[in-house]
Amino acid sequence: MEYENVQSNSPTGFFGKHPSLKIKEFQSYLTLRLGIIFALNMQSTTIYFWVYQMTSDKLSLGLVGLAEVIPAICCSFFSGHIVDQNEKRKMVAICLLGYIIVGIALFLLAFPAVEQTLQAPWFLHLIYFFVFLGGVLRAFYSPSMFSLFGLVVPRTHYANATSWSSMAWQMGSVLGPLAAGFFIAILGVASSLFTVIGIQLLMLFPLLSIPIKPILKKVKEPVMQSVTEGLKFVWKTPALLSALALDMFSVLFGGAVALLPVYQKEILHVDEIGFGLLRSAPGIGALLTLGLLAFLPLKKYPGRKLFACVAGFAISIIVFGISRNFYLSFFMLLLSGMFDAVSVVIRSTILQLMTPDAMRGRVAAVNTMFVSSSNELGDFESGLMAHWLGTVRAVVTGGCITLGIVVFTFFKAPQLRNFSFDEQEKEKD
């Protein structure tokens, strides 16, 4: 496979130290990743704010997450098989067009005339329905983008490219909620949802600038056999399985993003801009950390650093849970994002290094079931726990459970604890 625009210069200067950024296809990939994540985070932030302002019900926030996680998990059982059997750019294009259609539907739903015509329960159910469709698209989008990554970047640049890919993701996570808070405060929910559509349409340009890629898996096989192979591979790779499980449970129990509308309105008493700042604080922290990691790469003891950072994430969430000061809460969310960024880079690099090219779609689908969906399932868990225990107790309890999971996994997963990037790269070579 050829990778255009990669020169064999000595590693001097910015691009010499970051060779992945010299690849034009990877530049388009980063733009696409940043734009889509920006739009989706802006959309989800708007939806959470919209639903809570409409219902003032904590459980309704959890149901937004549940509406997305159910199709994301169910469709992931076969989405990886479909992605591996099809051209990757086409799969991303289909998902992007689907997101645009869902965005248009939500925008039309936000018109006052529609809200006045429909009864409140039906109106809320329609929002959940379109969130559900977004979950279906996510099950295919995540493995498609993961597989496309391996086709635009050579293996020797995976660690460097993963840092920049994670940075693009985090920039979208930071700027999306901030933009949503601004648009909601100044122009309203409908304007925020309309902006999402515009950004998604623009992302068609970088996508089409990436050439059509070869299909690496050409042997046809039954769907169940193909899906089972992806699950078996993850199950028989202890370091990968442990990393995915650790991230899944930490996000499942330690996440507090879904409850931010409650903190904004009932605990911290800040306006919509304050809500946008809180929602983007983890992303800001992650972005700062990823900027450092681009110049100070994680080379030594990545497994141990992963455990330390997940523990730091849990402690940050516990302090955030009991805080009633906006600045302290913002700082704790900032710290949680900084710790989470390190764990994301380590886990993503492990995933890229250990996954065979022909199985990328299926393994990424398993990753979606383990990790990506845990965000929405965590939102549901947070809403449910807050409904039962109260908001503060739910967040603190989740953080304590996450700490317990870190300790348990540290002693039960020596392969992850002693994992080394250098050894894996040597084995692949």
Side-chain angles (χ1 to χ4, degrees):
M1 186 183 302
E2 296 183 358
Y3 296 89
E4 299 177 356
N5 304 296
V6 180
Q7 301 175 357
S8 57
N9 296 334
S10 58
T12 58
F14 180 80
F15 288 103
K17 295 179 180 178
H18 305 283
S20 62
L21 294 181
K22 293 190 291 184
I23 306 170
K24 287 188 177 181
E25 292 180 16
F26 184 58
Q27 294 171 6
S28 297
Y29 178 92
L30 287 180
T31 303
L32 181 66
R33 184 163 169 78
L34 168 63
I36 292 179
I37 294 301
F38 176 96
L40 294 181
N41 273 272
M42 187 174 180
Q43 186 181 73
S44 65
T45 301
T46 304
I47 290 172
Y48 277 110
F49 179 86
W50 190 15
V51 168
Y52 192 68
Q53 292 298 314
M54 192 188 312
T55 65
S56 297
D57 181 15
K58 299 165 190 174
L59 185 59
S60 65
L61 296 175
L63 292 176
V64 174
L66 186 64
E68 185 170 359
V69 75
I70 290 175
I73 291 177
C74 294
C75 294
S76 291
F77 281 104
F78 57 86
S79 63
H81 167 78
I82 295 174
V83 169
D84 279 339
Q85 297 283 358
N86 288 274
E87 198 274 316
K88 307 306 179 287
R89 193 190 72 168
K90 181 185 76 173
M91 292 301 301
V92 175
I94 292 172
C95 293
L96 180 54
L97 290 173
Y99 278 131
I100 292 171
I101 293 172
V102 169
I104 292 172
L106 286 168
F107 170 66
L108 294 175
L109 200 60
F111 276 96
V114 177
E115 189 172 357
Q116 293 170 4
T117 302
L118 295 173
Q119 295 181 351
W122 280 103
F123 188 80
L124 195 59
H125 290 160
L126 278 174
I127 295 176
Y128 291 149
F129 172 72
F130 292 121
V131 171
F132 181 93
L133 293 181
V136 174
L137 293 169
R138 180 174 182 168
F140 291 89
Y141 169 76
S142 295
S144 297
M145 284 294 284
F146 179 81
S147 300
L148 187 60
F149 177 96
L151 296 173
V152 299
V153 179
R155 183 177 291 276
T156 53
H157 299 330
Y158 276 0
N160 176 255
T162 298
S163 294
W164 286 104
S165 178
S166 298
M167 187 181 296
W169 191 94
Q170 291 294 347
M171 284 185 68
S173 299
V174 171
L175 300 177
L178 279 175
F182 172 80
F183 276 94
I184 292 171
I186 305 301
L187 300 172
V189 169
S191 66
S192 181
L193 295 174
F194 179 76
T195 305
V196 168
I197 300 170
I199 295 168
Q200 290 172 339
L201 287 170
L202 288 175
M203 288 306 102
L204 291 170
F205 292 101
L207 175 61
L208 294 177
S209 70
I210 299 175
I212 294 174
K213 296 299 179 181
I215 301 173
L216 299 179
K217 182 178 175 56
K218 297 181 179 179
V219 178
K220 301 292 183 179
E221 59 189 11
V223 176
M224 289 309 299
Q225 179 183 340
S226 178
V227 171
T228 302
E229 282 186 5
L231 292 169
K232 284 182 178 179
F233 175 80
V234 173
W235 185 259
K236 292 181 179 180
T237 312
L240 180 57
L241 178 63
S242 301
L244 294 180
L246 179 64
D247 190 88
M248 179 184 74
F249 287 112
S250 64
V251 173
L252 177 63
F253 294 107
V257 171
L259 296 177
L260 287 182
V262 184
Y263 274 87
Q264 175 244 337
K265 187 175 182 180
E266 300 179 9
I267 297 175
L268 301 176
H269 306 291
V270 293
D271 58 14
E272 291 85 352
I273 299 296
F275 169 68
L277 288 170
L278 289 173
R279 179 63 178 77
S280 61
I284 294 173
L287 192 59
L288 293 173
T289 303
L290 289 168
L292 292 174
L293 292 180
F295 298 95
L296 301 171
L298 295 164
K299 292 183 177 180
K300 296 183 178 180
Y301 310 113
R304 296 180 185 180
K305 291 176 181 177
L306 175 63
F307 284 107
C309 288
V310 177
F313 170 82
I315 294 171
S316 301
I317 292 300
I318 292 171
V319 177
F320 165 78
I322 60 179
S323 171
R324 290 183 175 273
N325 179 276
F326 173 79
Y327 298 103
L328 177 60
S329 298
F330 178 84
F331 182 67
M332 286 298 108
L333 289 175
L334 190 80
L335 276 182
S336 73
M338 296 178 76
F339 287 122
D340 188 51
V342 179
S343 66
V344 166
V345 170
I346 294 173
R347 189 193 74 248
S348 299
T349 306
I350 291 174
L351 194 65
Q352 290 287 355
L353 286 173
M354 304 193 76
T355 304
D357 289 336
M359 294 186 65
R360 287 186 174 277
R362 284 164 289 173
V363 173
V366 176
N367 179 61
T368 299
M369 287 187 278
F370 267 84
V371 179
S372 300
S373 298
S374 64
N375 289 284
E376 285 70 39
L377 195 58
D379 291 345
F380 175 68
E381 180 271 339
S382 297
L384 195 61
M385 290 284 283
H387 183 71
W388 288 342
L389 303 177
T391 304
V392 174
R393 289 180 182 177
V395 174
V396 173
T397 300
C400 292
I401 293 174
T402 302
L403 270 180
I405 291 169
V406 171
V407 174
F408 176 82
T409 310
F410 182 83
F411 290 105
K412 289 292 184 178
Q415 297 89 346
L416 178 59
R417 188 172 67 238
N418 301 318
F419 187 85
S420 171
F421 289 153
D422 293 335
E423 290 181 7
Q424 289 298 319
E425 288 176 352
K426 289 178 182 178
E427 289 179 11
K428 293 294 181 182
D429 294 338

